[in-house]
Amino acid sequence: MIAYATHKGGKYFPFEESLKIDSVNKRGLYINITNQCNCDCVFCLRQKKQMAESSSLWLKNEPTLDEIFSEILKVPKEFVNEIVFCGFGEPTLRLNELIESLKFVKKNFPDVPTRLNTNGLGELAHGREIAADFEKILDVVSISLNAATAERYFKLTRAKYGLQSYEAMLKFAEHMKKYVPKVVLTIVDHVTSEEEIEQCRKICDERGLNLRVRAYEDN
């Protein structure tokens, strides 16, 4: 499933099915472009969530740009209030497809905000700073902070790059501030103590970043 919408209860539906459930309100259009991920988070829904084949986020093949564009154009613009690149994989691992898709969205949905959900390890993956690639095509980036220390972060994410991943993720967030209007770091409440949440707030405050506490989905 490339293009989908989310509903209460942690449910995902193809956008066409979503409109049958709610034919009135606007909602986010989520774009899933890859199964690849450079983390193996202990709390990730990739390991936990059961989905029907018709609404599965597991892609049988990595979609081409034409396939991504086609799915986006099928969606009625009047029902979209945000376009989010996320999915079950890490979008920045397909950086060219991600950038070209964001450009396509800005051309065809010029008034709709764009968001990227990422683990923030794209610069480690590509061996360079990539933040400037998103200038003028991305409105919000949501980066998974997950923990207050590099050791705790690695224990939770099992990132393929090891302990260096934590600082690289924070540096990526700082780089993105130069080019993206809103940068948000997130943690998950079910796997993070109140004490650690406060430590994460301090880290974000010191670096001029915003923190959002996400609700845990257990199914």
Side-chain angles (χ1 to χ4, degrees):
M1 186 164 62
I2 298 172
Y4 64 97
T6 64
H7 287 259
K8 289 183 178 179
K11 296 180 180 179
Y12 306 96
F13 294 100
F15 209 87
E16 183 179 356
E17 293 298 316
S18 173
L19 290 175
K20 294 178 181 178
I21 298 169
D22 179 356
S23 61
V24 177
N25 295 301
K26 290 187 175 184
R27 73 219 66 189
L29 167 61
Y30 289 78
I31 306 297
N32 178 26
I33 65 173
T34 186
N35 288 332
Q36 302 175 61
C37 193
N38 40 17
C39 286
D40 182 24
C41 299
V42 297
F43 53 83
C44 183
L45 297 182
R46 287 162 64 100
Q47 285 83 26
K48 299 175 181 293
K49 196 170 187 67
Q50 300 296 316
M51 294 178 290
E53 185 174 351
S54 62
S55 59
S56 176
L57 294 180
W58 287 106
L59 297 164
K60 293 181 179 179
N61 301 289
E62 300 277 85
T64 65
L65 278 174
D66 285 344
E67 289 171 332
I68 296 168
F69 295 168
S70 175
E71 288 297 312
I72 292 172
L73 289 178
K74 289 179 183 178
V75 176
K77 294 181 181 181
E78 64 270 23
F79 289 103
V80 179
N81 60 12
E82 182 183 33
I83 297 180
V84 186
F85 286 82
C86 58
F88 259 21
E90 170 49 43
T92 60
L93 290 178
R94 298 192 73 200
L95 187 60
N96 177 67
E97 288 80 5
L98 174 60
I99 297 300
E100 292 304 316
S101 296
L102 283 165
K103 290 178 180 177
F104 181 83
V105 165
K106 280 300 181 185
K107 179 180 178 180
N108 290 277
F109 293 70
D111 299 321
V112 178
T114 54
R115 171 160 52 105
L116 168 64
N117 289 354
T118 175
N119 59 27
L121 302 182
E123 294 186 339
L124 280 180
H126 296 283
R128 67 175 179 88
E129 290 189 18
I130 63 173
D133 296 4
F134 296 96
E135 187 174 16
K136 296 182 180 180
I137 57 173
L138 184 63
D139 298 301
V140 181
V141 58
S142 179
I143 303 168
S144 299
L145 175 60
N146 289 316
T149 67
E151 292 76 13
R152 170 72 169 159
Y153 175 86
F154 181 62
K155 183 177 180 179
L156 287 173
T157 65
R158 298 180 289 201
K160 67 177 292 185
Y161 313 107
L163 289 175
Q164 67 170 326
S165 302
Y166 188 69
E167 183 61 26
M169 172 269 298
L170 289 171
K171 286 293 185 184
F172 172 72
E174 292 179 332
H175 296 160
M176 290 294 272
K177 283 174 55 181
K178 303 174 187 177
Y179 304 102
V180 177
K182 186 174 183 180
V183 178
V184 180
L185 273 71
T186 68
I187 50 177
V188 181
D189 60 5
H190 184 78
V191 296
T192 312
S193 69
E194 287 298 324
E195 180 181 2
E196 188 167 18
I197 288 174
E198 288 309 308
Q199 291 174 335
C200 289
R201 290 192 197 282
K202 183 178 179 181
I203 289 169
C204 290
D205 288 344
E206 290 173 348
R207 296 183 183 240
L209 302 167
N210 300 300
L211 180 71
R212 182 171 74 90
V213 181
R214 292 167 42 214
Y216 175 79
E217 287 186 39
D218 61 2
N219 55 34

